[in-house]
Amino acid sequence: MNLHHAATEDPSAPVLGLGLDAGGTQTRWALVDADGGLRAEGHASGFSGLLLNDAAGRIALAQISHQLAAAVLAHGRPVRAIAGITGLSERPQARQMEDLLSQALGLAPSAIRCGSDMDTAYRAAFRPGEGYLLYAGTGSIAAFIDEQGELQRAGGRGGLLGDEGSGYWIAKEALAAVWRAEDEAPGGWQGSTLARALFDAIGGHDWATSRAFVYGADRGAIGRLALAVAEAARQGDAQALALLERAGRELARPLLALLKRYGRRPVAAAGRALQLHPMIAQGLRAALPEGLELRLIHLEPHKSAALHAAQGPTT
């Protein structure tokens, strides 16, 4: 059987669209019918378009794609798919990713559209030209789709060059602060709620354990340490509270850049990092111009992408 035509063999089957929102920590997916009914949703391993840059990464992507397809196809076969993928910004890379998903899902490449995760997320929050979207998860970025439909961005340059205020940044800054304190007073971690929370999360308080974790884990695993920082803040740890407030101020930087470039517009902020603790939103609001509209929203771009895929061609 030709898998590329399998979706059209049963004329009574509902028209389903598949939406994917792939980030460094996890990939969320949804199957939605043309009327907007959610048929199924789930999550799979996270991945990034950066994996396309080498052979080992492409092999890993192929494996993730097939695992994802197996989970999706257990609930129905989509006729089209739209995927927003972190680290995917160039059209040649998008075509590579479309080919991988085509093979896994049994759809023609023309039935799949891959692009930046921020393009998908922005369109779930605003119409083009309407406002600015801040997204803070494992990484962080601010985005604006202008009236011509072009995606403009600020930040989002990864853990080495940026992503300030993100889950990864929070975890990195927290661990660095704990180990600087240990340099000054070895054993002092025992009196620090933040240090104990971090060391409990990584499984040990010695440098060898921290080193193995930081330099052996992926960005998603490191980013999840931000949960430990948030827990320390909830217990009143002053260092953790100050760090989360600073994270909010850092998240304002890319928004301020877009405001300077394109003028004053409403801001929507979303992502798991913003949900860690109220102190992050407090720092963000304090760093933005007075009176600027800021909404904290819960985005589900995998669902909106699935609906768009179900209702019409991907082009």
Side-chain angles (χ1 to χ4, degrees):
M1 179 174 64
N2 186 338
L3 288 177
H4 286 171
H5 298 287
T8 63
E9 287 181 355
D10 182 1
S12 66
V15 175
L16 299 178
L18 172 63
L20 301 178
D21 177 34
T25 303
Q26 68 174 359
T27 299
R28 294 184 294 172
W29 62 266
L31 277 175
V32 171
D33 63 35
D35 294 323
L38 177 65
R39 295 304 182 102
E41 68 175 330
H43 57 85
S45 299
F47 64 90
S48 162
L50 298 176
L51 291 174
L52 290 165
N53 293 338
D54 58 64
R58 289 190 291 272
I59 291 172
L61 272 178
Q63 293 172 339
I64 293 170
S65 297
H66 280 86
Q67 292 167 0
L68 174 65
V72 169
L73 295 175
H75 299 277
R77 186 177 296 278
V79 296
R80 285 175 293 271
I82 296 176
I85 301 169
T86 187
L88 192 68
S89 57
E90 299 177 2
R91 189 59 201 156
Q93 282 190 326
R95 282 195 290 268
Q96 284 182 276
M97 197 66 233
E98 287 161 2
D99 287 341
L100 284 172
L101 289 173
S102 167
Q103 295 171 31
L105 291 165
L107 294 177
S110 60
I112 300 173
R113 188 182 78 205
C114 293
S116 165
D117 58 333
M118 286 310 298
D119 185 284
T120 304
Y122 184 94
R123 294 176 189 275
F126 290 118
R127 294 185 298 272
E130 188 177 8
Y132 303 118
L133 175 66
L134 169 69
Y135 198 88
T138 304
S140 63
I141 187 172
F144 172 57
I145 295 182
D146 62 26
E147 290 83 349
Q148 290 71 46
E150 294 295 322
L151 176 65
Q152 313 295 340
R153 52 179 284 166
R157 294 187 171 85
L160 291 178
L161 298 181
D163 282 356
E164 294 91 347
S166 68
Y168 180 89
W169 181 91
I170 290 169
K172 180 181 68 173
E173 290 292 306
L175 273 175
V178 164
W179 280 108
R180 283 194 295 268
E182 281 298 291
D183 285 341
E184 296 175 0
W189 67 269
Q190 297 175 78
S192 165
T193 301
L194 174 61
R196 293 198 307 272
L198 288 169
F199 290 155
D200 284 348
I202 64 177
H205 63 268
D206 58 290
W207 168 237
T209 301
S210 288
R211 180 179 58 200
F213 181 84
V214 170
Y215 297 106
D218 59 31
R219 288 180 70 243
I222 294 172
R224 283 190 288 273
L225 284 183
L227 294 168
V229 181
E231 178 57 33
R234 282 189 288 271
Q235 295 181 37
D237 184 273
Q239 190 175 21
L241 287 165
L243 175 57
L244 294 179
E245 196 271 346
R246 183 159 63 95
R249 291 181 177 274
E250 291 292 340
L251 288 173
R253 290 179 182 273
L255 286 171
L256 293 171
L258 291 179
L259 284 162
K260 183 176 181 179
R261 285 156 58 186
Y262 302 108
R264 192 180 181 100
R265 301 171 196 258
V267 171
R272 287 183 295 277
L274 283 157
Q275 300 166 11
L276 288 169
H277 193 279
M279 191 61 73
I280 298 176
Q282 181 174 316
L284 173 61
R285 288 183 188 276
L288 292 176
E290 185 176 354
L292 183 70
E293 180 184 335
L294 170 63
R295 293 181 296 125
L296 301 183
I297 63 174
H298 175 60
L299 278 184
E300 295 185 306
H302 60 308
K303 293 182 181 178
S304 60
L307 178 60
H308 290 156
Q311 291 182 336
T314 60
T315 55

